[in-house]
Amino acid sequence: ESADPLIGQRVGEYEIRSGLGAGGMGVVYLAHQDSPSREVALKLMRPGAMAPALTRRFEDEAQILGRLQHPGIAQVYGAGRLRGPGGSQPYFAMEYVRGEPLLDYVKSRGLGVPERVALVAAVCDAVQHAHTKGVIHRDLKPANILVTEPENSTRAGTSGGGRTAQPKVLDFGVARVTESDLQRTAQTTVGEIIGTLPYMSPEQVRGDSAEIDTRTDV
């Protein structure tokens, strides 16, 4: 982090505090938003990854998240571009989820079968919401699901002041939109493999985008 020149800098109305993670297309930072005053996760595209197709996919992720309003899906707050000497980098700010990856949460809490089923059911509710909005995630896996636990909550699926653990589905970077208004997002090159191999459906492995529908996520 000490070598990252963006730590401590401002991107629009956000002040970058620290790094949270990185992927193939982008880097995610913990940042503070001025108004309203809150912590956010700021996803900034890597300068070296800004091919036109990848840039479009990155920007479409913010558009897709803007369509989805569900407690089980991290919310997007805003988007923009960071101007620099090498051009402009797209970014978007989203809900900062304080939680553990799904498998880590299950292991650290020693959850039994009923509580595990309750978590999976909550994930299914969030994915179903995305499907009703015409969005197919295409990269569902435990690492893309964080579980948050409200204060005073004890175990997932059990009452803790009337509240339960809430899984949050993240990373819609390779999501596919089925409606015509964002049809360009759905265009995947024939033979292009999108997703994470151990969690792919057979049609994803074959690279046949015409066969991919909501069953891929199921």
Side-chain angles (χ1 to χ4, degrees), residues 59-204:
E59 292 178 327
D60 283 342
E61 182 180 359
Q63 295 296 321
I64 289 170
L65 285 170
R67 298 164 60 125
L68 307 179
Q69 301 292 322
H70 191 277
I73 298 175
Q75 302 298 298
V76 66
Y77 297 142
R81 280 182 170 266
L82 172 64
R83 308 291 176 179
S88 62
Q89 296 170 250
Y91 68 84
F92 62 88
M94 60 189 302
E95 176 185 359
Y96 173 48
V97 179
R98 296 177 179 273
E100 294 180 72
L102 180 62
L103 295 185
D104 292 344
Y105 181 86
V106 168
K107 293 175 182 177
S108 67
R109 301 302 191 281
L111 300 187
V113 171
E115 294 129 331
R116 295 178 189 224
V117 171
L119 283 175
V120 172
V123 172
C124 289
D125 285 342
V127 174
Q128 173 68 9
H129 172 76
H131 289 173
T132 62
K133 298 296 183 180
V135 176
I136 307 167
H137 190 285
R138 294 202 295 179
D139 197 22
L140 288 173
K141 56 186 178 182
N144 281 342
I145 300 169
L146 294 183
V147 183
T148 63
E149 192 171 74
E151 293 180 7
N152 302 322
S153 177
T154 53
R155 296 168 65 113
T158 63
S159 176
R163 296 171 291 178
T164 58
Q166 174 65 64
K168 295 269 189 179
V169 180
L170 309 176
D171 201 348
F172 281 76
V174 298
R176 171 173 172 166
V177 177
T178 58
E179 278 102 339
S180 59
D181 62 339
L182 282 177
Q183 189 62 33
R184 62 192 178 93
T185 310
Q187 300 303 319
T188 301
T189 304
V190 175
E192 182 182 5
I193 295 179
I194 296 294
T196 303
L197 191 59
Y199 300 96
M200 284 183 183
S201 61
E203 60 270 23
Q204 282 180 289

Side-chain angles (χ1 to χ4, degrees), residues 2 4 9 16 27 41 51 67 88-89 99 112 119 185 187 212 216:
S2 59
D4 191 326
Q9 301 300 311
I16 295 179
V27 181
R67 298 164 60 125
S88 62
Q89 296 170 250
L119 283 175
T185 310
Q187 300 303 319
I212 294 176
T216 289

